[in-house]
Amino acid sequence: MKAVRFHEYGDPDVLRHEDVDEPVPGAGQVRVRVAATTFNGVDGNIRAGFMQGPMPVTLPHILGVDVAGTIDALGEGVSGLAVGDEVIGFLPFTVDGAAAEYVLAPAESLAPAPTSIPLSDAAALPVVGLTAWQALFEHAELKPGHRILISGAGGAVGGYAVQLAKAAGAHVIATASPRSSGHVTAAGADEVIDHTTTEVTTTVTEPVDVLLNLAPIDPARFTALAALVRDGGVVVSTTVWMPAPADEGRGVRAIDLFVRSDAAQLSELVARVDRGELTVDVADRVPLAELASVHARAAAGILPGKVVILATSV
């Protein structure tokens, strides 16, 4: 099969589109014929060698933790799934991923794919959708009537977070650049603040129950935003290399989010997509052979949004 992998850490040009052996499923695994994977920011960090501590991989390594595709082989002991099932999932970070024509997946990590959108586009849902879900409902414990400030709402996670928070009955205040403000408004934000021209801490005049930070931010600015959280509120951040600021004196909790695979939560997200309650946004679709160019665009800061990587077998 064809796959894109790297044999040494480095810049995007270490990625090679090459022939590799098709994987054989072991106990508890299925083999998926890949329709698509996606680019996630962590892929670039793994490729560059920045994640060798928390996410050690064996070289050569195939990236791609999102997968959408069709089951074509079952390992021993797998039940509840069948050859021909269309599925999506969030794969383990440290094993070979879905930037390939076939990938092995733990059976328990997979959910039925949505039927209302193209299978390849569904690859844009697992990692970022689960990140938004876990941030809002597991960690922030978002409730109807809560006020939430989403910093960096213009990214892929932010699009889901705004939609889910609004559907939960929250008042959503979102920061975004002019490039993404229209997208954030369309996702349902009640207030959109252009953080490039406006001081957020003076614009938000009432306390918020939740601050969700989704973007790199200066630590002093992060602390200032956290001061907007009411006593007893919560700060949740996906920028785990920069700890979220707590305020024990005011009872403000701080949580650094490490997303995990959860098939039940993913199935709920899929159900919302098929009911028309959650929109899957795809900014670009790129052939597998051109994955290195996506990494290069991401490194240059010019990636437009969530990019789906189409397997060459589709």
Side-chain angles (χ1 to χ4, degrees):
M1 69 173 184
K2 290 291 187 181
V4 174
R5 60 183 183 172
F6 59 96
H7 295 249
E8 62 277 333
Y9 297 109
D11 293 333
D13 59 8
V14 301
L15 294 170
R16 303 181 190 174
H17 184 238
E18 58 191 8
D19 291 312
V20 304
D21 292 336
E22 286 187 8
V24 177
Q29 294 180 319
V30 302
R31 186 171 65 195
V32 177
R33 179 165 54 84
V34 178
T37 185
T38 72
F39 174 83
N40 288 288
V42 70
D43 293 330
N45 291 329
I46 293 172
R47 183 215 69 235
F50 301 149
M51 305 299 288
Q52 294 180 58
M55 297 177 185
V57 300
T58 300
L59 301 181
H61 179 68
I62 302 171
L63 294 165
V65 291
D66 284 311
V67 65
T70 306
I71 293 175
D72 91 317
L74 304 175
E76 182 182 353
V78 173
S79 60
L81 295 170
V83 170
D85 286 352
E86 293 188 341
V87 294
I88 62 172
F90 173 9
L91 304 175
F93 283 105
T94 55
V95 299
D96 278 340
E101 293 181 321
Y102 294 89
V103 68
L104 299 182
E108 70 272 11
S109 71
L110 300 175
T115 59
S116 58
I117 62 174
L119 179 59
S120 57
D121 282 3
L125 181 61
V127 172
V128 288
L130 287 170
T131 300
W133 182 276
Q134 291 167 20
L136 295 175
F137 304 121
E138 286 191 359
H139 300 298
E141 299 176 1
L142 191 70
K143 300 291 192 298
H146 275 179
R147 289 169 52 83
I148 180 171
L149 172 60
I150 302 177
S151 173
V157 175
Y160 290 112
V162 170
Q163 291 183 73
L164 291 169
K166 186 63 179 174
H171 180 88
V172 181
I173 307 165
T175 73
S177 68
R179 185 179 66 178
S180 58
S181 61
H183 172 71
V184 173
T185 299
D190 297 285
E191 304 175 44
V192 179
I193 301 171
D194 179 356
H195 63 85
T196 67
T197 61
T198 306
E199 178 50 59
V200 178
T201 55
T202 57
T203 303
V204 179
T205 56
E206 297 180 38
V208 297
D209 300 278
V210 177
L211 167 63
L212 173 56
N213 181 62
L214 303 172
I217 189 173
D218 176 79
R221 186 170 182 80
F222 201 174
T223 299
L225 289 179
L228 297 172
V229 178
R230 65 164 177 80
D231 293 0
V234 60
V235 177
V236 181
S237 180
T238 59
T239 56
V240 295
W241 62 90
M242 184 180 61
D247 189 333
E248 294 182 3
R250 297 196 301 113
V252 175
R253 297 181 295 126
I255 295 162
D256 298 305
L257 171 63
F258 292 85
V259 64
R260 71 177 197 286
S261 181
D262 189 306
Q265 293 176 355
L266 189 52
S267 292
E268 172 59 27
L269 291 168
V270 167
R272 293 184 181 218
V273 171
D274 282 340
R275 293 196 300 264
E277 299 169 2
L278 187 66
T279 299
V280 174
D281 186 54
V282 175
D284 198 4
R285 299 165 184 84
V286 175
L288 179 64
E290 298 176 19
L291 179 56
S293 70
V294 177
H295 279 245
R297 289 158 66 195
I302 56 173
L303 212 57
K306 194 62 175 175
V307 177
V308 163
I309 310 301
L310 304 170
T312 53
S313 61
V314 176

